[in-house]
Amino acid sequence: MLNNWLYPVVVFFSVLLTYASLPLLRHQRLLDIPNERSSHTTPVPRAGGISFVLLYLLLLLWLWRSGVLIGLNTLVLCAGGLVVAATGLIDDRYGLSSKFRLLVQFLCFGVSVPLLSYPFLNFDTAWLLSGSIIFVTIMLSVWWLNLFNFLDGIDGYAVSEAVFLCLSAAGLCWLFDAVSSSSALLLLAASLVGFIVINWPPAKLFMGDVGSYFLGFMLSMLALLTMLQQIISPLSWIILTALFWVDASYTLLLRMFAGESWHQAHRSHAYQVLSRGWNSHSRVTVTAITVNTCWLFPMAYGGQWLIESNRIVLAWIVMIMAVLPILWGVIRIKATIKID
């Protein structure tokens, strides 16, 4: 565990770098111009995620120098994060095809996941099982990265989810006596403070693909590390991320059955429908924070406690109980709020 003084210092630099990026992005004319699929009405600077990308990459190196992260993990996180962030920045500036973005993502996770997993999996006697686990993890990681990008559609929504996931995962590490494993999560949350202030509704800055790709990558890799180290179970992560993956998955299935292109930009996610129905980004974001904090985190804690107590069946029941109300809410929002 790092000294407590580091966190306010990180918050200070997070605010400083975020506000310093505003004039630079305007000068480069990196603006998000509203269109028929947008949830905002005036041009807003984008690619603001570059501030927390640079800050967190430096902090990962600090963690390595401090002995908190081993060299291999630091290399994977820094190299992978840099690649996906650079891809997002180019996409923000010039635009990239969906096929090229997916190719880069699969290559990035195809290297990162095996490197992180290799010390923990037994390839000698269970190579087929280990290989299958890695393949599934790569597919889920690519899905999560794109899911996170899809859910970055209204002010403050995606960044507040990222902060929640970092703080709640760090809380579970602390509650189950793995305090040293929380440092990378807490520093990522601290790195986002400056951005969440300026991205809060009405947003003056968007993170862009550079930010959403980076956060999607980092959250998936940090989650993978906690699972490999047997600190936080996959069931607990399923619960913690339910607000995002349920909305994205249900919406994707509806669009596929309707014959629509899954990767085309749209405004049909439940959170987007709700923001238009309420005519408020802040109400939706605050509601999401409330659901995450008051429902999903306690359920994730309960599921983790049951797993630690070797009550696996009950943990599965808790996971289902946690997810079903989220699914019901998504279905109801999309069925009852009709907006052209």
Side-chain angles (χ1 to χ4, degrees), residues 67-260:
V68 177
L69 281 178
I70 64 173
L72 177 61
N73 292 347
T74 306
L75 176 63
V76 169
L77 292 174
C78 287
L82 187 60
V83 169
V84 296
T87 304
L89 184 59
I90 296 171
D91 196 24
D92 285 327
R93 188 67 179 87
Y94 302 105
L96 294 171
S97 69
S98 58
K99 291 181 179 179
F100 181 81
R101 296 196 304 267
L102 279 174
L103 175 62
V104 173
Q105 292 164 17
F106 272 110
L107 288 174
C108 189
F109 283 114
V111 174
S112 300
V113 171
L115 285 177
L116 281 183
S117 304
Y118 187 80
F120 300 93
L121 300 179
N122 189 344
F123 289 90
D124 295 330
T125 59
W127 61 269
L128 181 60
L129 177 60
S130 299
S132 300
I133 291 172
I134 285 179
F135 175 77
V136 171
T137 303
I138 291 171
M139 299 298 293
L140 289 176
S141 298
V142 172
W143 168 230
W144 170 257
L145 186 149
N146 286 281
L147 178 159
F148 198 88
N149 180 251
F150 296 156
L151 274 289
D152 180 29
I154 64 172
D155 301 348
Y157 192 67
V159 68
S160 63
E161 175 76 4
V163 171
F164 162 74
L165 291 175
C166 289
L167 294 180
S168 58
L172 290 178
C173 290
W174 181 78
L175 289 169
F176 291 98
D177 298 324
V179 178
S180 60
S181 300
S182 65
S183 299
L185 293 159
L186 290 174
L187 286 177
L188 181 54
S191 301
L192 295 172
V193 171
F195 183 80
I196 199 172
V197 169
I198 203 169
N199 186 242
W200 191 258
K204 301 179 181 64
L205 180 65
F206 293 156
M207 71 172 70
D209 289 340
V210 60
S212 61
Y213 287 0
F214 181 80
L215 288 179
F217 175 83
M218 281 300 164
L219 290 170
S220 62
M221 291 297 95
L222 292 175
L224 178 60
L225 274 177
T226 64
M227 289 185 281
L228 290 170
Q229 295 167 350
Q230 298 184 355
I231 300 170
I232 302 178
S233 70
L235 281 181
S236 296
W237 277 111
I238 289 173
I239 295 171
L240 289 175
T241 57
L243 201 63
F244 265 36
W245 69 259
V246 170
D247 188 1
S249 301
Y250 181 73
T251 302
L252 173 65
L253 290 174
L254 289 183
R255 288 175 61 80
M256 290 175 64
F257 283 122
E260 300 175 9

Side-chain angles (χ1 to χ4, degrees), residues 36-51:
E36 67 276 4
R37 300 187 185 94
S38 301
S39 296
H40 61 290
T41 56
T42 58
V44 177
R46 63 181 176 184
I50 191 68
S51 59

Side-chain angles (χ1 to χ4, degrees), residues 13-22 48 51-52 191 194-195 198 205:
F13 279 102
S14 173
V15 174
L16 181 65
L17 290 173
T18 303
Y19 277 89
S21 70
L22 267 174
S51 59
F52 58 74
S191 301
F195 183 80
I198 203 169
L205 180 65

